[in-house]
Amino acid sequence: MAVPDGRAAGRRAEQRAATRRALLGEGRRRFAADGYQGVVLAEVAEAVGVTKGAAYHHFESKAGLFHAVVAEVLEELGARVAAAAERESDAWEQLRAGCRAFLGAGSDPSVRRIVLVDAPTVMGWEEWRALDEGSSARHLREALSSLVEAGVLARQPVEPLTRMLSGAMNEAALWVARSGSPEALELAVGTLDRILDGLRVERPSPAP
């Protein structure tokens, strides 16, 4: 019985990975430009030079490809939020920087059309939220928990606070993206700052 050539098996694995990346990239481009309903999986496969069967092998359906694209975009968004926060040394400014990065991300067509518009409808709210939990929502929860523990924010349950702020920022990011106004992001950030300031513990007045 012939023993498979390890190098040949490695090349096949690389080719499969390359095909998957190509399908993801083309799917992402089309979902962002045309929306979920406007995309045909066979056309995605043809555009990257593979058969429809290969596309189905990797993702099973258009919905499967969309799910993978959403997961990829959310992972990138979470990394973008975390990177913006890490550039600040103060915990409060880290929260503000992360929130600002999230609100500004709505101008990215992948985030706006795929994550904010289509994903909740196509995937269903629960599945979409489950993916979001592992990305930007997780960073928000961690930041709020740290600020509550540090006494910067009033002591309170973090979970409902995270969900309320996350939902508000999703809506605000979509509004910023749709407005087309250069002032929209600053208006959204200013509104968020006022909401957060209302949660912040009052600092004692300096002694006379």
Side-chain angles (χ1 to χ4, degrees):
M1 183 176 183
V3 178
D5 186 325
R7 287 174 296 182
R11 285 195 295 271
R12 287 194 295 271
E14 289 174 2
Q15 289 170 351
R16 287 194 296 270
T19 297
R20 190 177 192 279
R21 287 195 301 271
L23 289 166
L24 269 174
E26 181 65 15
R28 177 171 174 165
R29 185 187 71 77
R30 290 182 179 235
F31 285 130
D34 304 327
Y36 180 80
Q37 297 300 331
V39 173
V40 178
L41 186 57
E43 294 176 357
V44 174
E46 182 180 3
V48 300
V50 300
T51 65
K52 183 172 67 173
Y56 278 102
H57 171 75
H58 283 281
F59 299 105
E60 296 187 353
S61 64
K62 182 174 77 167
L65 174 60
F66 184 73
H67 186 286
V69 167
V70 172
E72 180 181 75
V73 176
L74 281 172
E75 182 179 358
E76 291 176 5
L77 178 56
R80 189 183 311 180
V81 167
E86 288 167 3
R87 286 194 286 270
E88 304 291 339
S89 56
D90 176 74
W92 181 258
E93 291 306 317
Q94 287 178 345
L95 174 64
R96 292 188 67 245
C99 290
R100 186 187 187 98
F102 181 87
L103 292 173
S107 60
D108 180 337
S110 294
V111 174
R112 182 179 63 82
R113 185 63 185 265
I114 295 172
V115 171
L116 299 176
V117 176
D118 283 348
T121 301
V122 173
M123 300 172 63
W125 181 256
E126 290 300 324
E127 187 177 3
W128 180 83
R129 282 297 302 171
L131 284 177
D132 189 45
E133 287 291 323
S135 58
S136 53
R138 175 173 60 83
H139 293 298
L140 177 60
R141 182 184 298 103
E142 291 171 353
L144 293 172
S145 296
S146 297
L147 290 169
V148 169
E149 288 302 314
V152 177
L153 291 180
R155 186 160 294 279
Q156 60 193 287
V158 171
E159 187 61 27
L161 177 61
T162 301
R163 291 185 177 274
M164 291 185 72
L165 288 178
S166 179
M169 285 196 293
N170 282 331
E171 284 294 323
L174 186 56
W175 174 74
V176 168
R178 285 175 168 169
S179 71
S181 167
E183 294 83 20
L185 178 58
E186 293 302 323
L187 290 172
V189 169
T191 299
L192 180 64
D193 278 342
R194 288 189 289 276
I195 292 172
L196 294 175
D197 284 341
L199 301 169
R200 200 169 183 178
V201 173
E202 295 263 349
R203 291 198 180 101
S205 302

